[in-house]
Amino acid sequence: MISLFEYSKIAFRLCRQRWHWWWNRDRINQLQDDVWLALRDGQFAIAVVLLEEQLQSYQWPFQIERLLFKRDSRPKSLSATLELLGRLWRSQFLLPHQSFYAGIAMTHSALLAGDDVRLGELRPWLESAAALDVLNVSFESERLVRNRESAFKQCVSARCCLLQCCFAEKSPDKAYIAAIGRANLCLLEKLNLAELSADVLYRSSSNLVRGLLALPLQSPELERAELQLKRLQSTIDQPRFVRSRRRAQENHENLISQALRVLKLVNDQRLNAAASLRLDLIINSEASAVRRGAEIWSYQLESS
């Protein structure tokens, strides 16, 4: 539990920050207006410099995060969006979580555009963020961590994003995809769910489940996966998750229930039905190449 002293420090820091924003509100508003004008005119380098000034001079993160997390705030052109996100991803001045989500957003946009050059550039970074080969990934004491700043959520998001990239390849690597499933299974088995805030765990659960579904349907590890899904389901049904469930835009509970239904279909030897439902759940991209690759992977996996 947070001490009164720590709480007082946090409250003081927030008050001082808000006073700083109020005192500099005219300059901050002008910078934001200039960013929208630069984006409108396709001057992405200038827009990023202005965004960096907001962050460096005034600790104002809101316009950057609006561009990162609200797609309708970005340029309508996909090529322009990729240019903007690429400059944000390479910026040396963004906060760590902002740089991370710039990379995730850029990856999803590159998948939509079928931009193999950018996907190749992002792949080493994405694999490092996914940490598939790190057996003892630790996420202790994240109960007070903000959703976007959670290292756990970032790891899970990177793995799900990497999974979509694997599907988009001409010949999906079955072994590598299965490794994502095993990594998420290992993560869940070692994870103390109580160490994560309700918001972080709830908002991460869908991507966590999507990664888990990368395991082959006839894998002996599915029994362990089922135990972890039931543990996750019972955890987010606790009272501390009520607010997170109400605020979330995605129904994460439903995806967990559907994943458990996949495993029940497997237990009932209805493998075709299980594979079809899993395909609908595991895809997290609108890119046609992702669906096509996922269908090829599913067919080859279950027919082998």
Side-chain angles (χ1 to χ4, degrees):
M1 182 179 292
I2 186 171
S3 67
L4 181 60
F5 176 70
E6 288 295 324
Y7 180 82
S8 299
K9 284 204 307 183
I10 293 171
F12 175 75
R13 187 166 62 247
L14 288 174
C15 288
R16 185 174 61 180
Q17 182 65 80
R18 290 183 178 184
W19 181 87
H20 184 62
W21 289 337
W22 179 83
W23 185 258
N24 295 284
R25 62 192 182 281
D26 291 339
R27 177 57 181 160
I28 292 172
N29 288 334
Q30 183 62 57
L31 283 169
Q32 292 189 116
D33 290 342
D34 289 346
V35 167
W36 295 128
L37 288 173
L39 292 176
R40 185 197 65 186
D41 296 339
Q43 298 178 322
F44 302 113
I46 293 175
V48 171
V49 168
L50 295 170
L51 289 166
E52 289 171 343
E53 183 180 344
Q54 292 177 28
L55 201 59
Q56 287 183 282
S57 300
Y58 307 107
Q59 295 78 53
W60 182 262
F62 302 105
Q63 192 172 29
I64 293 176
E65 299 203 352
R66 181 176 176 183
L67 288 165
L68 292 178
F69 297 108
K70 296 189 179 298
R71 294 182 188 179
D72 58 359
S73 296
R74 303 175 198 161
K76 289 184 171 58
S77 163
L78 192 53
S79 60
T81 289
L82 280 166
E83 177 70 19
L84 172 63
L85 292 172
R87 289 182 179 277
L88 288 172
W89 180 57
R90 295 183 190 91
S91 172
Q92 301 297 309
F93 302 105
L94 266 64
L95 299 174
H97 76 277
Q98 293 172 340
S99 295
F100 173 82
Y101 284 108
I104 293 294
M106 184 180 171
T107 303
H108 280 291
S109 296
L111 285 169
L112 281 172
D115 191 331
D116 293 335
V117 174
R118 282 191 171 94
L119 288 172
E121 181 185 3
L122 286 156
R123 184 63 177 260
W125 167 80
L126 194 56
E127 290 180 346
S128 175
L132 298 184
D133 55 350
V134 180
L135 298 179
N136 295 311
V137 182
S138 178
F139 301 105
E140 296 181 359
S141 301
E142 282 207 344
R143 281 172 290 187
L144 298 177
V145 174
R146 205 167 64 115
N147 175 48
R148 293 171 181 174
E149 297 169 3
S150 165
F152 169 79
K153 188 173 187 294
Q154 290 177 24
C155 177
V156 170
S157 296
R159 290 177 178 181
C160 186
C161 192
L162 181 59
L163 180 60
Q164 310 308 304
C165 291
C166 289
F167 289 148
E169 294 172 348
K170 291 182 180 178
S171 299
D173 188 332
K174 292 186 291 185
Y176 196 89
I177 291 172
I180 296 174
R182 286 194 296 273
N184 273 19
L185 177 59
C186 182
L187 175 60
L188 264 172
E189 288 179 331
K190 295 182 177 181
L191 188 66
N192 180 357
L193 301 181
E195 288 293 332
L196 299 173
S197 74
D199 202 41
V200 166
L201 182 57
Y202 186 71
R203 291 174 183 266
S204 302
S205 57
S206 286
N207 282 339
L208 191 58
V209 170
R210 289 186 180 104
L212 202 60
L213 288 173
L215 291 168
L217 291 183
Q218 300 189 50
S219 168
E221 295 164 314
L222 283 191
E223 186 175 339
R224 291 161 52 200
E226 184 176 12
L227 287 174
Q228 294 306 314
L229 283 171
K230 288 179 177 177
R231 181 169 79 105
L232 182 61
Q233 185 180 53
S234 64
T235 298
I236 66 172
D237 196 41
Q238 294 172 0
R240 75 183 182 105
F241 289 85
V242 170
R243 187 182 179 195
S244 298
R245 290 198 299 268
R246 288 175 179 167
R247 294 175 60 189
Q249 295 179 349
E250 187 176 356
N251 188 342
H252 301 281
E253 296 166 283
N254 181 62
L255 199 139
I256 297 171
S257 298
Q258 291 298 304
L260 284 168
R261 184 164 174 256
V262 169
L263 301 188
K264 184 178 186 307
L265 289 169
V266 172
N267 291 334
D268 294 341
Q269 297 300 308
R270 297 174 60 190
L271 296 183
N272 288 338
S276 178
L277 178 56
R278 177 185 61 178
L279 200 60
D280 290 337
L281 300 177
I282 204 170
I283 295 173
N284 190 38
S285 171
E286 298 173 1
S288 58
V290 172
R291 174 161 287 277
R292 183 168 60 249
E295 289 172 348
I296 292 171
W297 161 76
S298 181
Y299 174 78
Q300 292 179 343
L301 194 66
E302 306 316 326
S303 61
S304 60

